[in-house]
């Protein structure tokens, strides 16, 4: 069943447009067709059954029938008969004397009406007068047309005894709730077009939204699964290129990890040999200096390997209490005899890698202690992110060096002593971890002195 359904979907998609432009055109065409269908439905359901009440044919038949009926009725009964015949659609009045005519009309289409009445009565000399009581543009091609007998036209027909019957079109028999029907009609058209447009727009933008989410996820999780290739051909081509780029980046990271592992094996062996040879040096001062250099080289290699391993580490992400993590780091430094204070909420949950975040904030705090003597950690909750501020009372950093200090092995302290400045990977590691979580790190000098490190993480 599943295979058959997929086959039907493939057949249906084969007949659909395959580009964004063609799908937009198809949407507009479908919307127009839908509006026409709604208009036709309203028109057909709104029309009364049978011919129009004020059509020419119905008018002539009714007028001649009334004329013949009144003529066959005694004069004393005619007024009562006409009163019974009169209705809102066709107003009828009987005058025993000739009425006063005004605004008589000749020519087409009035002659046509007169000829039709005389033909139905079989009396070519019958007196028929057509008047237009108000001069204004009439709907349709002429005042008396095939569909509408307006209230502005009065028709007078003479009887054989010299009396007259006057006919005036009443208000059309409009369906109930005319304005409501019109409003519903317009609302139906607008609603139909809006529904089709929204449905099509969502169908077209869903792959774009997935593409944007995948691009955002790539900066946070390099091991994210490939994006499914769906949507118009332009989006499929972009998705295919994006997946290839993601695969190349994954291969690049894997190759770099393998290269670092090989360097670890190759460098540790000669360092061990050099340390053994240094032990054989008879000069104590020379031996001390050589061993110190070897220890520094070993520390740099270990730090480099740790930096590379953490950069490509597959630690699982999950919810963690960032406030609790920061408080525990501050407590650890207080227990070690340093000044460290935490300010902020007792709990704040964030999605991330606990070990990586702990190392990043530990590096930042250790830098604050090494250069500022102490630190204050402040956690602030924003609408969509968390902001961690780490402040110290040290000399700060020149603004020209703000970006340089994040480079691996870059140190403001030039002595290269591990006791005063480490190896220069603390900030680089911290920024790598934070950016891997979708956040960033910013530096700023405090007006009262010291450095403020601001870490922003998405909630």
């Amino acid at each position: 069943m599943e295979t058959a359904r997929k086959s039907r979907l493939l057949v249906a998609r084969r007949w659909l447009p395959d580009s964004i432009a063609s799908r937009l055109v198809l949407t507009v065409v479908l919307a127009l067709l839908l509006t026409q269908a709604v208009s036709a439905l309203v028109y057909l359901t709104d029309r009364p059954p049978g011919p129009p009440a004020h059509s020419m044919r119905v008018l002539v038949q009714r007028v001649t029938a009334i004329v013949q009926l009144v003529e066959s009725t005694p004069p004393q009964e005619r007024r009562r008969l006409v009163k019974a015949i009169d209705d809102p659609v066709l107003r009828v009045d009987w005058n025993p004397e000739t009425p006063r005519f005004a605004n008589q009309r000749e020519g087409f289409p009035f002659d046509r009406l007169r000829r039709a009445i005389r033909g139905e009565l079989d009396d070519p000399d019958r007196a028929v007068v057509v008047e237009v009581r108000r001069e204004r543009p009439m709907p349709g091609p002429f005042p008396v047309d095939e569909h509408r007998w307006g209230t502005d036209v009065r028709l007078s027909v003479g009887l054989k005894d010299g009396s007259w019957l006057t006919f005036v079109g009443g208000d059309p028999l409009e369906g109930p709730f005319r304005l409501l029907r019109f409003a519903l009609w317009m609302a139906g058209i607008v609603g139909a077009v809006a529904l089709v447009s929204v449905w099509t727009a969502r169908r077209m933008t869903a792959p774009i939204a997935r593409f944007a989410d995948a691009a955002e996820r790539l900066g946070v999780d390099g091991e994210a699964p490939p994006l499914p290739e769906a949507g118009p051909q332009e989006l499929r081509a972009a998705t295919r290129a994006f997946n290839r780029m993601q695969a190349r980046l994954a291969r690049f990271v894997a190759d770099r990890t393998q290269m670092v592992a090989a360097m670890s094996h190759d460098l540790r062996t000669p360092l061990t040999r050099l340390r053994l040879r240094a032990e054989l040096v008879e000069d104590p001062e020379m031996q001390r200096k050589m061993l110190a250099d070897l220890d520094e080289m070993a520390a740099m290699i270990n730090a480099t390997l740790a930096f590379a391993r953490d950069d490509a580490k597959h630690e699982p992400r999950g919810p963690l209490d960032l406030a609790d993590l920061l408080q525990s780091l501050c407590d650890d430094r207080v227990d070690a005899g340093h000044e460290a204070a935490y300010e902020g909420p007792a709990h704040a949950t964030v999605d991330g890698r606990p070990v990586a975040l702990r190392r990043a904030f530990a590096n930042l705090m250790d830098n604050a202690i090494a250069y500022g003597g102490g630190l204050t950690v402040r956690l602030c909750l924003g609408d969509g992110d968390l902001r961690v501020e780490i402040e110290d009372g040290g000399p700060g950093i020149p603004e020209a060096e703000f970006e340089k200090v994040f480079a691996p092995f870059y140190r403001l302290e030039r002595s290269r002593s591990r006791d005063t400045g480490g190896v220069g990977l603390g900030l680089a590691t911290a920024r790598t971890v934070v950016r891997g979580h979708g956040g960033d790190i910013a530096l700023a000098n405090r007006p009262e002195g010291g450095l403020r490190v601001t870490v922003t993480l998405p909630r």
Side-chain angles (χ1 to χ4, degrees), residues 2-16 203:
E2 184 68 20
T3 304
R5 187 179 67 86
K6 290 183 178 180
S7 300
R8 289 194 298 269
L9 288 175
L10 290 175
V11 173
R13 289 176 179 175
R14 191 176 297 118
W15 292 97
L16 290 176
R203 293 276 298 181

Side-chain angles (χ1 to χ4, degrees), residues 432-450:
T432 299
V433 171
V434 172
R435 287 186 172 178
H437 285 77
D440 206 353
I441 297 181
L443 304 180
N445 289 316
R446 303 169 60 200
E448 61 273 22

Side-chain angles (χ1 to χ4, degrees), residues 4-279:
R5 187 179 67 86
K6 290 183 178 180
S7 300
R8 289 194 298 269
L9 288 175
L10 290 175
V11 173
R13 289 176 179 175
R14 191 176 297 118
W15 292 97
L16 290 176
D18 200 29
S19 65
I20 295 178
S22 58
R23 292 191 181 187
L24 286 176
V25 172
L26 179 62
T27 302
V28 174
V29 172
L30 288 177
L32 292 177
L33 290 177
L34 190 57
T35 57
Q36 293 300 319
V38 173
S39 301
L41 180 63
V42 172
Y43 173 74
L44 292 176
T45 56
D46 197 41
R47 294 181 62 188
H54 292 159
S55 67
M56 172 76 76
R57 180 170 58 83
V58 174
L59 175 66
V60 171
Q61 290 177 352
R62 292 196 62 185
V63 168
T64 55
I66 293 173
V67 169
Q68 292 171 348
L69 179 62
V70 172
E71 281 186 329
S72 62
T73 303
Q76 61 272 20
E77 300 292 334
R78 289 179 180 177
R79 192 170 297 279
R80 186 168 56 183
L81 174 64
V82 168
K83 185 177 180 181
I85 295 174
D86 182 58
D87 61 41
V89 177
L90 184 65
R91 315 298 303 189
V92 184
D93 189 23
W94 176 71
N95 294 311
E97 298 179 356
T98 303
R100 180 174 176 271
F101 301 115
N103 297 325
Q104 298 185 47
R105 290 300 181 90
E106 304 291 337
F108 181 84
F110 307 103
D111 292 343
R112 177 186 173 190
L113 177 61
R114 280 189 284 266
R115 285 196 304 270
I117 294 175
R118 289 166 180 167
E120 287 288 329
L121 294 174
D122 196 18
D123 185 358
D125 297 326
R126 176 72 62 145
V128 179
V129 178
V130 180
E131 302 170 86
V132 177
R133 298 191 296 175
R134 280 186 291 180
E135 295 290 345
R136 66 179 184 180
M138 300 293 293
F142 39 82
V144 182
D145 59 14
E146 294 290 345
H147 303 286
R148 186 66 63 188
W149 165 256
T151 58
D152 295 332
V153 178
R154 186 171 71 170
L155 173 66
S156 300
V157 180
L159 305 183
K160 293 180 179 180
D161 61 354
S163 61
W164 288 79
L165 280 176
T166 303
F167 302 88
V168 179
D171 293 332
L173 286 179
E174 299 288 351
F177 310 111
R178 177 183 179 186
L179 293 178
L180 178 60
R181 289 202 315 275
F182 178 76
L184 293 176
W185 172 37
M186 297 302 298
I189 292 177
V190 173
V193 174
L195 287 177
V196 172
S197 302
V198 169
W199 179 79
T200 305
R202 287 186 175 181
R203 293 276 298 181
M204 294 176 61
T205 56
I208 299 177
R210 289 196 298 268
F211 187 86
D213 292 340
E216 183 69 23
R217 188 171 62 248
L218 178 62
V220 178
D221 186 7
E223 299 297 323
L227 186 66
E229 298 180 9
Q233 61 181 3
E234 296 90 347
L235 286 178
R236 292 202 304 271
T239 301
R240 197 175 301 113
F242 178 84
N243 289 336
R244 288 197 298 266
M245 179 190 68
Q246 183 175 353
R248 286 194 294 266
L249 289 175
R251 286 195 301 270
F252 171 77
V253 173
D255 293 342
R256 189 182 68 167
T257 303
Q258 294 178 0
M259 180 187 66
V260 171
M263 290 174 56
S264 172
H265 179 271
D266 294 341
L267 290 176
R268 289 181 184 275
T269 301
L271 279 178
T272 303
R273 289 199 301 264
L274 288 174
R275 183 176 293 277
L276 291 175
R277 292 172 182 173
E279 297 289 344

Side-chain angles (χ1 to χ4, degrees), residues 263-453:
M263 290 174 56
S264 172
H265 179 271
D266 294 341
L267 290 176
R268 289 181 184 275
T269 301
L271 279 178
T272 303
R273 289 199 301 264
L274 288 174
R275 183 176 293 277
L276 291 175
R277 292 172 182 173
E279 297 289 344
L280 300 177
V281 175
E282 296 181 357
D283 187 347
E285 183 65 20
M286 181 63 67
Q287 185 186 55
R288 185 188 63 79
K289 292 181 179 180
M290 292 178 65
L291 292 175
D293 290 340
L294 290 174
D295 290 340
E296 185 175 356
M297 291 176 63
M300 293 179 65
I301 292 174
N302 292 333
T304 303
L305 294 176
F307 174 77
R309 284 196 301 269
D310 287 346
D311 190 28
K313 194 169 184 179
H314 303 299
E315 181 188 357
R317 296 172 64 97
L320 63 95
D321 192 337
L322 184 62
D324 184 69
L325 185 147
L326 295 174
Q327 292 181 63
S328 65
L329 289 174
C330 290
D331 292 341
D332 292 342
R333 276 134 191 88
V334 171
D335 294 340
H338 304 294
E339 294 182 5
Y342 170 79
E343 298 177 1
H347 301 283
T349 303
V350 68
D351 185 74
R353 301 181 177 92
V355 176
L357 286 177
R358 174 175 286 274
R359 184 183 181 199
F361 285 110
N363 289 346
L364 296 176
M365 292 183 184
D366 291 341
N367 282 348
I369 292 174
Y371 294 102
L375 70 138
T376 299
V377 179
R378 186 176 297 107
L379 176 60
C380 304
L381 303 180
D383 293 335
D385 56 14
L386 296 171
R387 191 174 69 255
V388 180
E389 296 179 352
I390 301 176
E391 299 178 347
D392 62 53
I397 297 176
E399 293 187 7
E401 305 286 337
F402 279 176
E403 186 62 27
K404 295 180 181 179
V405 294
F406 287 104
F409 303 109
Y410 184 85
R411 292 168 51 186
L412 291 175
E413 199 275 324
R414 304 297 182 181
S415 68
R416 308 304 297 176
S417 172
R418 289 184 291 113
D419 297 330
T420 58
V423 297
L425 285 176
L427 288 177
T429 301
R431 187 163 73 168
T432 299
V433 171
V434 172
R435 287 186 172 178
H437 285 77
D440 206 353
I441 297 181
L443 304 180
N445 289 316
R446 303 169 60 200
E448 61 273 22
L451 182 70
R452 176 184 297 114
V453 181

